PDB file of all heavy atoms in Angstrom:
ATOM      1  N   ASP D 440       6.405  34.531 -83.399  1.00  0.00           N
ATOM      2  CA  ASP D 440       5.879  33.967 -84.715  1.00  0.00           C
ATOM      3  C   ASP D 440       6.785  33.020 -85.139  1.00  0.00           C
ATOM      4  O   ASP D 440       8.029  33.342 -85.487  1.00  0.00           O
ATOM      5  CB  ASP D 440       5.685  35.137 -85.757  1.00  0.00           C
ATOM      6  CG  ASP D 440       5.052  34.660 -86.958  1.00  0.00           C
ATOM      7  OD1 ASP D 440       5.447  33.632 -87.628  1.00  0.00           O
ATOM      8  OD2 ASP D 440       4.003  35.307 -87.293  1.00  0.00           O
ATOM      9  N   TRP D 441       6.395  31.707 -85.177  1.00  0.00           N
ATOM     10  CA  TRP D 441       7.356  30.579 -85.463  1.00  0.00           C
ATOM     11  C   TRP D 441       7.860  30.730 -87.041  1.00  0.00           C
ATOM     12  O   TRP D 441       8.862  30.123 -87.424  1.00  0.00           O
ATOM     13  CB  TRP D 441       6.673  29.355 -85.142  1.00  0.00           C
ATOM     14  CG  TRP D 441       6.743  29.015 -83.808  1.00  0.00           C
ATOM     15  CD1 TRP D 441       5.756  29.200 -82.834  1.00  0.00           C
ATOM     16  CD2 TRP D 441       7.857  28.515 -82.950  1.00  0.00           C
ATOM     17  NE1 TRP D 441       6.179  28.888 -81.559  1.00  0.00           N
ATOM     18  CE2 TRP D 441       7.491  28.565 -81.663  1.00  0.00           C
ATOM     19  CE3 TRP D 441       9.188  28.181 -83.238  1.00  0.00           C
ATOM     20  CZ2 TRP D 441       8.308  28.151 -80.577  1.00  0.00           C
ATOM     21  CZ3 TRP D 441       9.999  27.649 -82.220  1.00  0.00           C
ATOM     22  CH2 TRP D 441       9.584  27.647 -80.914  1.00  0.00           C
ATOM     23  N   GLY D 442       7.040  31.464 -87.824  1.00  0.00           N
ATOM     24  CA  GLY D 442       7.441  31.634 -89.114  1.00  0.00           C
ATOM     25  C   GLY D 442       8.798  32.557 -89.385  1.00  0.00           C
ATOM     26  O   GLY D 442       9.331  32.797 -90.371  1.00  0.00           O
ATOM     27  N   THR D 443       9.144  33.116 -88.197  1.00  0.00           N
ATOM     28  CA  THR D 443      10.279  34.160 -88.187  1.00  0.00           C
ATOM     29  C   THR D 443      11.478  33.349 -87.745  1.00  0.00           C
ATOM     30  O   THR D 443      12.593  34.075 -87.538  1.00  0.00           O
ATOM     31  CB  THR D 443       9.989  35.434 -87.291  1.00  0.00           C
ATOM     32  OG1 THR D 443       9.930  34.923 -85.908  1.00  0.00           O
ATOM     33  CG2 THR D 443       8.782  36.235 -87.764  1.00  0.00           C
ATOM     34  N   LEU D 444      11.439  32.068 -87.357  1.00  0.00           N
ATOM     35  CA  LEU D 444      12.602  31.358 -86.895  1.00  0.00           C
ATOM     36  C   LEU D 444      13.527  31.134 -88.096  1.00  0.00           C
ATOM     37  O   LEU D 444      13.253  30.613 -89.022  1.00  0.00           O
ATOM     38  CB  LEU D 444      12.144  30.046 -86.341  1.00  0.00           C
ATOM     39  CG  LEU D 444      13.176  29.041 -85.925  1.00  0.00           C
ATOM     40  CD1 LEU D 444      14.113  29.710 -84.763  1.00  0.00           C
ATOM     41  CD2 LEU D 444      12.727  27.703 -85.637  1.00  0.00           C
ATOM     42  N   VAL D 445      14.772  31.700 -87.903  1.00  0.00           N
ATOM     43  CA  VAL D 445      15.758  31.558 -88.972  1.00  0.00           C
ATOM     44  C   VAL D 445      17.131  31.085 -88.324  1.00  0.00           C
ATOM     45  O   VAL D 445      17.431  31.544 -87.253  1.00  0.00           O
ATOM     46  CB  VAL D 445      16.137  32.838 -89.710  1.00  0.00           C
ATOM     47  CG1 VAL D 445      14.935  33.088 -90.732  1.00  0.00           C
ATOM     48  CG2 VAL D 445      16.311  33.951 -88.853  1.00  0.00           C
ATOM     49  N   LEU D 446      17.633  30.005 -88.993  1.00  0.00           N
ATOM     50  CA  LEU D 446      18.873  29.385 -88.372  1.00  0.00           C
ATOM     51  C   LEU D 446      19.937  29.548 -89.631  1.00  0.00           C
ATOM     52  O   LEU D 446      19.701  29.180 -90.687  1.00  0.00           O
ATOM     53  CB  LEU D 446      18.686  28.028 -88.054  1.00  0.00           C
ATOM     54  CG  LEU D 446      17.559  27.765 -87.058  1.00  0.00           C
ATOM     55  CD1 LEU D 446      17.301  26.250 -86.909  1.00  0.00           C
ATOM     56  CD2 LEU D 446      17.822  28.362 -85.698  1.00  0.00           C
ATOM     57  N   THR D 454      17.159  23.156 -93.663  1.00  0.00           N
ATOM     58  CA  THR D 454      16.848  24.144 -92.566  1.00  0.00           C
ATOM     59  C   THR D 454      15.401  24.629 -92.865  1.00  0.00           C
ATOM     60  O   THR D 454      14.656  24.779 -91.958  1.00  0.00           O
ATOM     61  CB  THR D 454      17.887  25.130 -92.522  1.00  0.00           C
ATOM     62  OG1 THR D 454      19.156  24.513 -92.448  1.00  0.00           O
ATOM     63  CG2 THR D 454      17.755  26.081 -91.331  1.00  0.00           C
ATOM     64  N   ASP D 455      15.106  25.077 -94.031  1.00  0.00           N
ATOM     65  CA  ASP D 455      13.850  25.580 -94.318  1.00  0.00           C
ATOM     66  C   ASP D 455      12.767  24.684 -94.044  1.00  0.00           C
ATOM     67  O   ASP D 455      11.633  25.016 -93.487  1.00  0.00           O
ATOM     68  CB  ASP D 455      13.732  26.030 -95.830  1.00  0.00           C
ATOM     69  CG  ASP D 455      14.532  27.220 -96.044  1.00  0.00           C
ATOM     70  OD1 ASP D 455      14.984  27.958 -95.039  1.00  0.00           O
ATOM     71  OD2 ASP D 455      14.709  27.714 -97.321  1.00  0.00           O
ATOM     72  N   ILE D 457      12.776  22.207 -91.836  1.00  0.00           N
ATOM     73  CA  ILE D 457      12.664  22.005 -90.384  1.00  0.00           C
ATOM     74  C   ILE D 457      11.970  23.300 -89.797  1.00  0.00           C
ATOM     75  O   ILE D 457      11.038  23.167 -88.946  1.00  0.00           O
ATOM     76  CB  ILE D 457      14.091  21.941 -89.751  1.00  0.00           C
ATOM     77  CG1 ILE D 457      14.815  20.612 -90.271  1.00  0.00           C
ATOM     78  CG2 ILE D 457      14.008  21.946 -88.189  1.00  0.00           C
ATOM     79  CD1 ILE D 457      16.183  20.472 -89.975  1.00  0.00           C
ATOM     80  N   ALA D 458      12.366  24.452 -90.245  1.00  0.00           N
ATOM     81  CA  ALA D 458      11.747  25.739 -89.837  1.00  0.00           C
ATOM     82  C   ALA D 458      10.059  25.701 -90.122  1.00  0.00           C
ATOM     83  O   ALA D 458       9.414  26.045 -89.272  1.00  0.00           O
ATOM     84  CB  ALA D 458      12.372  26.909 -90.407  1.00  0.00           C
ATOM     85  N   ALA D 459       9.840  25.145 -91.296  1.00  0.00           N
ATOM     86  CA  ALA D 459       8.383  25.108 -91.698  1.00  0.00           C
ATOM     87  C   ALA D 459       7.614  24.183 -90.838  1.00  0.00           C
ATOM     88  O   ALA D 459       6.628  24.385 -90.302  1.00  0.00           O
ATOM     89  CB  ALA D 459       8.257  24.703 -93.081  1.00  0.00           C
ATOM     90  N   TYR D 461       8.385  23.460 -87.711  1.00  0.00           N
ATOM     91  CA  TYR D 461       8.109  24.267 -86.326  1.00  0.00           C
ATOM     92  C   TYR D 461       6.970  25.163 -86.420  1.00  0.00           C
ATOM     93  O   TYR D 461       6.163  25.178 -85.538  1.00  0.00           O
ATOM     94  CB  TYR D 461       9.323  25.177 -86.104  1.00  0.00           C
ATOM     95  CG  TYR D 461      10.500  24.579 -85.298  1.00  0.00           C
ATOM     96  CD1 TYR D 461      11.632  24.042 -85.831  1.00  0.00           C
ATOM     97  CD2 TYR D 461      10.438  24.706 -83.915  1.00  0.00           C
ATOM     98  CE1 TYR D 461      12.626  23.619 -85.085  1.00  0.00           C
ATOM     99  CE2 TYR D 461      11.397  24.233 -83.099  1.00  0.00           C
ATOM    100  CZ  TYR D 461      12.612  23.764 -83.694  1.00  0.00           C
ATOM    101  OH  TYR D 461      13.618  23.246 -82.958  1.00  0.00           O
ATOM    102  N   ARG D 462       6.907  25.912 -87.530  1.00  0.00           N
ATOM    103  CA  ARG D 462       5.782  26.896 -87.702  1.00  0.00           C
ATOM    104  C   ARG D 462       4.445  26.165 -87.643  1.00  0.00           C
ATOM    105  O   ARG D 462       3.523  26.681 -87.072  1.00  0.00           O
ATOM    106  CB  ARG D 462       6.000  27.615 -89.032  1.00  0.00           C
ATOM    107  CG  ARG D 462       5.157  28.770 -89.305  1.00  0.00           C
ATOM    108  CD  ARG D 462       5.120  29.178 -90.721  1.00  0.00           C
ATOM    109  NE  ARG D 462       4.778  28.043 -91.594  1.00  0.00           N
ATOM    110  CZ  ARG D 462       5.299  27.759 -92.813  1.00  0.00           C
ATOM    111  NH1 ARG D 462       6.301  28.541 -93.303  1.00  0.00           N
ATOM    112  NH2 ARG D 462       4.859  26.734 -93.381  1.00  0.00           N
ATOM    113  N   TRP D 505      14.847  25.977 -78.735  1.00  0.00           N
ATOM    114  CA  TRP D 505      13.944  25.601 -79.813  1.00  0.00           C
ATOM    115  C   TRP D 505      13.790  24.179 -79.976  1.00  0.00           C
ATOM    116  O   TRP D 505      13.157  23.668 -80.830  1.00  0.00           O
ATOM    117  CB  TRP D 505      14.569  26.186 -81.143  1.00  0.00           C
ATOM    118  CG  TRP D 505      14.431  27.724 -81.143  1.00  0.00           C
ATOM    119  CD1 TRP D 505      13.419  28.393 -80.787  1.00  0.00           C
ATOM    120  CD2 TRP D 505      15.411  28.712 -81.595  1.00  0.00           C
ATOM    121  NE1 TRP D 505      13.574  29.756 -80.906  1.00  0.00           N
ATOM    122  CE2 TRP D 505      14.816  29.938 -81.318  1.00  0.00           C
ATOM    123  CE3 TRP D 505      16.679  28.687 -81.928  1.00  0.00           C
ATOM    124  CZ2 TRP D 505      15.513  31.110 -81.680  1.00  0.00           C
ATOM    125  CZ3 TRP D 505      17.453  29.762 -82.282  1.00  0.00           C
ATOM    126  CH2 TRP D 505      16.821  31.040 -82.128  1.00  0.00           C
ATOM    127  N   ILE D 507      15.618  21.720 -80.681  1.00  0.00           N
ATOM    128  CA  ILE D 507      16.032  21.215 -82.026  1.00  0.00           C
ATOM    129  C   ILE D 507      16.106  19.697 -82.252  1.00  0.00           C
ATOM    130  O   ILE D 507      15.699  19.073 -83.090  1.00  0.00           O
ATOM    131  CB  ILE D 507      17.328  21.912 -82.464  1.00  0.00           C
ATOM    132  CG1 ILE D 507      17.138  23.339 -82.822  1.00  0.00           C
ATOM    133  CG2 ILE D 507      18.038  21.150 -83.569  1.00  0.00           C
ATOM    134  CD1 ILE D 507      18.285  24.191 -83.092  1.00  0.00           C
ATOM    135  N   GLY D 543      21.033  32.241 -84.854  1.00  0.00           N
ATOM    136  CA  GLY D 543      19.681  31.933 -85.093  1.00  0.00           C
ATOM    137  C   GLY D 543      18.838  33.104 -84.516  1.00  0.00           C
ATOM    138  O   GLY D 543      19.264  33.815 -83.501  1.00  0.00           O
ATOM    139  N   SER D 544      17.650  33.275 -85.036  1.00  0.00           N
ATOM    140  CA  SER D 544      16.660  34.372 -84.504  1.00  0.00           C
ATOM    141  C   SER D 544      15.291  34.065 -84.641  1.00  0.00           C
ATOM    142  O   SER D 544      14.905  33.337 -85.502  1.00  0.00           O
ATOM    143  CB  SER D 544      17.139  35.609 -85.393  1.00  0.00           C
ATOM    144  OG  SER D 544      16.265  36.728 -85.011  1.00  0.00           O
ATOM    145  N   MET D 545      14.421  34.729 -83.733  1.00  0.00           N
ATOM    146  CA  MET D 545      13.072  34.671 -83.995  1.00  0.00           C
ATOM    147  C   MET D 545      12.437  35.882 -83.315  1.00  0.00           C
ATOM    148  O   MET D 545      13.046  36.609 -82.508  1.00  0.00           O
ATOM    149  CB  MET D 545      12.529  33.515 -83.008  1.00  0.00           C
ATOM    150  CG  MET D 545      11.144  33.186 -83.281  1.00  0.00           C
ATOM    151  SD  MET D 545      10.641  31.635 -82.606  1.00  0.00           S
ATOM    152  CE  MET D 545      10.784  31.919 -80.871  1.00  0.00           C
ATOM    153  N   THR D 546      11.381  36.342 -84.043  1.00  0.00           N
ATOM    154  CA  THR D 546      10.689  37.560 -83.739  1.00  0.00           C
ATOM    155  C   THR D 546       9.577  37.509 -82.867  1.00  0.00           C
ATOM    156  O   THR D 546       8.659  36.547 -83.132  1.00  0.00           O
ATOM    157  CB  THR D 546      10.425  38.457 -85.007  1.00  0.00           C
ATOM    158  OG1 THR D 546      11.622  38.692 -85.734  1.00  0.00           O
ATOM    159  CG2 THR D 546       9.803  39.864 -84.658  1.00  0.00           C
TER     160      THR D 546
END
Side-chain angles (χ1 to χ4, degrees):
D440 188 304
W441 284 95
T443 66
L444 175 65
V445 288
L446 306 172
T454 305
D455 287 348
I457 295 164
Y461 265 98
R462 185 195 62 215
W505 289 317
I507 283 176
S544 170
M545 187 164 67
T546 298

